[in-house]
Amino acid sequence: MHMIDFLPNIILILIGLYVLMTLGYVAFSWWWKQKAERMVPPRGAFTSISTGRLHYVDCGSGPAILLVHGLGGNLAHFDCGLIDDLAKDFRVVAIDRPGSGYSERPADAAANIRSQARQVAEVIEKLEIDNPLVVGHSLGGAISLALALEKPQLVRGLALLAPLSLPIKEAAGVFDAYRIGSDVYRRILSWTTAVPHMIRHPGPVETEIFGPDGIPPEFPVRGGGLLSLRPDAFYNASRDFQASEEDLVGMSRDYSKLAVPVRVLFGKEDRILDPSHHGELLVRRYPQIGLKLIEGGHMLPLTRVADSAAFIRKAYEAMKDRKFISRASPEVYR
């Protein structure tokens, strides 16, 4: 019998092995999703907006602060001390952005920055958050800037932590896995190799996303880190990443028209977003924006809690008497 006679059987065996391996990946991803959600259950309440159910935490009393997290994150990124600190003197609302944490987002809902800003505006109106100081971290900073451009009457001002603010030529290498053009392929990866790969290769999280700061020991559970290791979290983070550059060029041209005050805090050693580009260049182009540089990396709400809280409090004090008038010029707030 010739080798060619065995080829159909060999091909069938290889196909069978591939199917078994794929099913194994799917089973593992499902099991891990269940484990992560048992260890980090929802810690807040739910409401509904145009994208479906939205998970949020609402605590404290006084003037309002709204916290908007970054790419691949969730509201727990603010819950390693920052929420508790601010809630002593403020009403603090932290949200899982649509598609993140426990908030829903259908596949046909837009993921670009301006669309996400409109979704945040829905939350402000739905939860009746009166004139909040909006604190945006990383991608949440860009969303906060878009919110201030489109709906300045809804916000007191912005206090941004390591924000994505200007178009960039090349994203940090840690995000290469999110660079997926096909939505079908994105969905397949999210339920097969994505989660096992992230679990097996945690190094980039430590060295690039957190570095040079260390990962807080409470990050996996209290900081919501485990929730990022789920298929839907990967899928939506990839969508957010692919759409993140869509609006930045047009937005950055409009920063001179910002009708609310903006303050920015950056870690000098940020390895995700270059502080000289997203911070120093930003304020050279738009001097009405304030900038403070401190020691540290990108994950300031988790690694520099005291510095972040002090920055937010100082920003609020500078903006507490601001009353919205119009968006005609950068001098329309007082």
Side-chain angles (χ1 to χ4, degrees), residues 64-70 78 82 86 90 93 131-148 155-165 258 260-266 278 282 288-292 300-301 307-320 322:
I65 292 178
L66 175 64
L67 305 175
V68 184
H69 64 81
F78 297 107
L82 188 57
L86 296 173
F90 299 93
V93 180
N131 199 27
L133 172 65
V134 180
V135 177
H137 174 235
S138 196
L139 176 61
I143 292 167
S144 301
L145 283 162
L147 172 66
V155 303
R156 182 186 302 274
L158 308 182
L160 307 180
L161 309 175
L164 172 66
S165 62
L258 279 164
V260 303
V262 179
R263 302 292 180 266
V264 174
L265 180 70
F266 252 109
H278 295 280
L282 176 72
Q288 78 271 26
I289 297 176
L291 172 66
K292 181 176 182 179
L300 300 177
D307 289 327
S308 297
F311 167 76
I312 293 166
R313 289 174 179 277
K314 188 172 182 179
Y316 171 76
E317 284 299 314
M319 305 174 194
K320 66 180 180 180
R322 192 195 78 85

Side-chain angles (χ1 to χ4, degrees), residues 11-294:
I11 292 171
L12 286 174
I13 291 171
L14 291 175
I15 291 173
L17 290 173
Y18 178 79
V19 169
L20 286 174
M21 182 177 65
T22 300
L23 290 175
Y25 278 131
V26 172
F28 177 84
S29 297
W30 181 88
W31 173 83
W32 185 266
K33 175 183 183 304
Q34 303 302 312
K35 178 181 178 180
E37 291 175 355
R38 283 195 304 271
M39 295 183 69
V40 191
R43 62 191 66 183
F46 288 88
T47 189
S48 294
I49 62 171
S50 62
T51 50
R53 284 209 318 168
L54 182 125
H55 178 232
Y56 69 96
V57 164
D58 189 342
C59 58
S61 61
I65 292 178
L66 175 64
L67 305 175
V68 184
H69 64 81
L71 179 70
N74 53 78
L75 64 82
H77 283 195
F78 297 107
D79 205 15
C80 284
L82 188 57
I83 289 177
D84 288 343
D85 185 303
L86 296 173
K88 296 173 185 175
D89 303 292
F90 299 93
R91 176 192 179 191
V92 181
V93 180
I95 65 170
D96 283 340
R97 288 189 293 102
S100 301
Y102 284 99
S103 292
E104 298 173 340
R105 182 175 68 188
D108 60 354
N112 60 300
I113 290 170
R114 289 187 184 273
S115 293
Q116 295 205 48
R118 295 182 194 114
Q119 293 157 13
V120 174
E122 286 186 63
V123 176
I124 292 174
E125 294 175 331
K126 182 69 178 287
L127 298 181
E128 298 181 344
I129 309 172
D130 182 37
N131 199 27
L133 172 65
V134 180
V135 177
H137 174 235
S138 196
L139 176 61
I143 292 167
S144 301
L145 283 162
L147 172 66
L149 287 170
E150 295 204 1
K151 300 281 188 177
Q153 71 277 12
L154 292 182
V155 303
R156 182 186 302 274
L158 308 182
L160 307 180
L161 309 175
L164 172 66
S165 62
L166 297 172
I168 54 179
K169 293 182 180 179
E170 186 174 357
V174 71
F175 297 130
D176 285 348
Y178 292 145
R179 200 182 302 276
I180 305 169
S182 165
D183 197 64
V184 173
Y185 187 46
R186 180 183 296 117
R187 183 66 76 182
I188 291 171
L189 281 182
S190 69
W191 275 100
T192 53
T193 59
V195 171
H197 179 83
M198 289 189 290
I199 293 171
R200 284 199 305 265
H201 301 281
V205 174
E206 181 176 1
T207 58
E208 294 187 60
I209 294 178
F210 277 88
D213 299 316
I215 299 177
E218 62 270 29
F219 171 64
V221 176
R222 186 176 175 189
L226 290 175
L227 292 182
S228 299
L229 301 175
R230 299 177 301 160
D232 285 347
F234 176 87
Y235 173 82
N236 283 303
S238 174
R239 289 196 66 213
D240 286 350
F241 176 79
Q242 285 295 103
S244 62
E245 286 288 307
E246 188 174 319
D247 297 319
L248 278 174
V249 172
M251 281 173 53
S252 63
R253 294 194 188 110
D254 289 339
Y255 289 160
S256 61
K257 302 174 186 177
L258 279 164
V260 303
V262 179
R263 302 292 180 266
V264 174
L265 180 70
F266 252 109
K268 296 176 185 177
E269 295 84 28
D270 194 316
R271 297 173 181 176
I272 296 298
L273 295 173
D274 183 357
S276 66
H277 181 73
H278 295 280
E280 293 172 316
L281 177 59
L282 176 72
V283 300
R284 283 200 302 272
R285 289 182 179 177
Y286 308 102
Q288 78 271 26
I289 297 176
L291 172 66
K292 181 176 182 179
L293 296 173
I294 61 172

